[in-house]
Amino acid sequence: MRTRHWAMGALTFIGIIAAIVGLGCRAEASLAASTGEAAAIEAPARDFAATLAAIAGERARLGQRYAATRDEAKRAALRAEARAYFREAVLREVFPAWLGMQWGLGKNSTADRPHAPGMTVACGYFVAAVLENAGLALSSRFKYAQAPALTVQKALAPEPADLHRYFSVPAETLAAKIAGLGDGLYIIGLANHIGFVVVERDEVRLVHASYTGEQVVTDEPLVSAQAIADSRPKGYFVSPVMHDDRLADLWLRGVPVPL
């Protein structure tokens, strides 16, 4: 399996935290050292704020061009550009920042930014946060995060043909069927769980706030994910994200997606 260079930002952050924990709370530590550690912790938050600003700026730029033309060919081209940009932003900028964020449940599991101090992220809140981080407005992040996976999928891809149900099939079969849908970003609804599936050149990966293993936001091969195995008795629902003109139009216009 090839190394994913786009994950390095998040892994760097984890390394910083590990180094700080290893130092412990030593009374003789200087004020300068303490300040340096605090700056190291704050740096990823600043970096992600800059990422969000860049995404918002690009959405606004494309949105202005979209609003300024009534030529349908140009509007179609802008929707295609929006779809491509959204997917790249999620895969190359948003996902890497979230990797290693602690999964959790309860009142502190509603993070909308990666590695927010004192926060964890539940699977539904991770999905909703990623969509909004990439510039897709939701009618209510909290309602999206708390809704059943199938409800979320139908809101994002309402065409019946876009909702793919796979019954109790082995993980290898599931991965092959999803790969057959084509490269792109998908949402997968599991038994009491929700996450993203990424298909790139026949590689199929699950990106989710994982309740298994180390219980962190994880990017792993779908075929070996425990969450996939856990859901096999009940099956799986898979639906595309930003493959259609409807979501691209809403993203360009900054209009919230109703639930």
Side-chain angles (χ1 to χ4, degrees):
M1 195 67 66
R2 71 178 188 275
T3 302
R4 288 192 163 258
H5 298 291
W6 53 271
M8 292 306 297
L11 295 177
T12 300
F13 175 80
I14 295 170
I16 292 170
I17 294 299
I20 292 171
V21 170
L23 289 173
C25 298
R26 301 189 303 181
E28 68 270 21
S30 68
L31 178 60
S34 298
T35 302
E37 291 168 5
I41 294 172
E42 292 169 1
R46 290 198 304 269
D47 291 346
F48 194 66
T51 295
L52 294 182
I55 292 171
E58 183 63 8
R59 192 208 62 77
R61 184 185 70 82
L62 292 174
Q64 289 171 358
R65 290 171 56 195
Y66 191 66
T69 182
R70 289 294 175 264
D71 183 288
E72 185 48 41
K74 292 180 180 179
R75 289 171 69 83
L78 285 166
R79 289 193 295 269
E81 187 175 349
R83 291 195 299 271
Y85 178 81
F86 178 92
R87 290 194 295 267
E88 286 298 300
V90 170
L91 269 58
R92 316 302 172 199
E93 302 291 343
V94 179
F95 278 166
W98 279 94
L99 291 180
M101 173 80 174
Q102 190 70 43
W103 168 86
L105 297 172
K107 65 179 182 179
N108 293 328
S109 66
T110 63
D112 64 349
R113 298 290 187 276
H115 304 285
M119 299 293 290
T120 62
V121 66
C123 61
Y125 280 97
F126 170 66
V127 168
V130 166
L131 295 173
E132 290 207 324
N133 290 168
L136 186 65
L138 304 177
S139 57
S140 169
R141 181 174 68 90
F142 291 95
K143 289 182 179 179
Y144 265 85
Q146 296 167 14
L150 188 56
T151 300
V152 172
Q153 290 173 282
K154 287 181 176 180
L156 295 171
E159 294 298 323
D162 286 333
L163 186 62
H164 305 276
R165 171 71 191 273
Y166 303 108
F167 292 94
S168 184
V169 298
E172 293 81 2
T173 302
L174 176 64
K177 287 183 176 293
I178 298 175
L181 299 176
D183 283 11
L185 182 67
Y186 299 84
I187 287 181
I188 187 166
L190 306 175
N192 303 312
H193 194 55
I194 188 172
F196 292 99
V197 172
V198 178
V199 179
E200 287 189 298
R201 295 178 293 279
D202 295 327
E203 184 179 11
V204 183
R205 303 185 67 82
L206 177 66
V207 183
H208 61 136
S210 179
Y211 63 89
T212 69
E214 296 181 359
Q215 297 188 329
V216 296
V217 174
T218 302
D219 170 9
E220 58 185 328
L222 183 139
V223 295
S224 58
Q226 184 60 47
I228 297 297
D230 290 347
S231 191
R232 181 173 174 180
K234 293 188 176 180
Y236 323 88
F237 285 97
V238 177
S239 57
V241 179
M242 199 59 81
H243 292 206
D244 62 301
D245 280 347
R246 170 180 169 268
L247 277 192
D249 174 80
L250 294 175
W251 184 86
L252 284 162
R253 294 189 294 123
V255 175
V257 185
L259 187 63

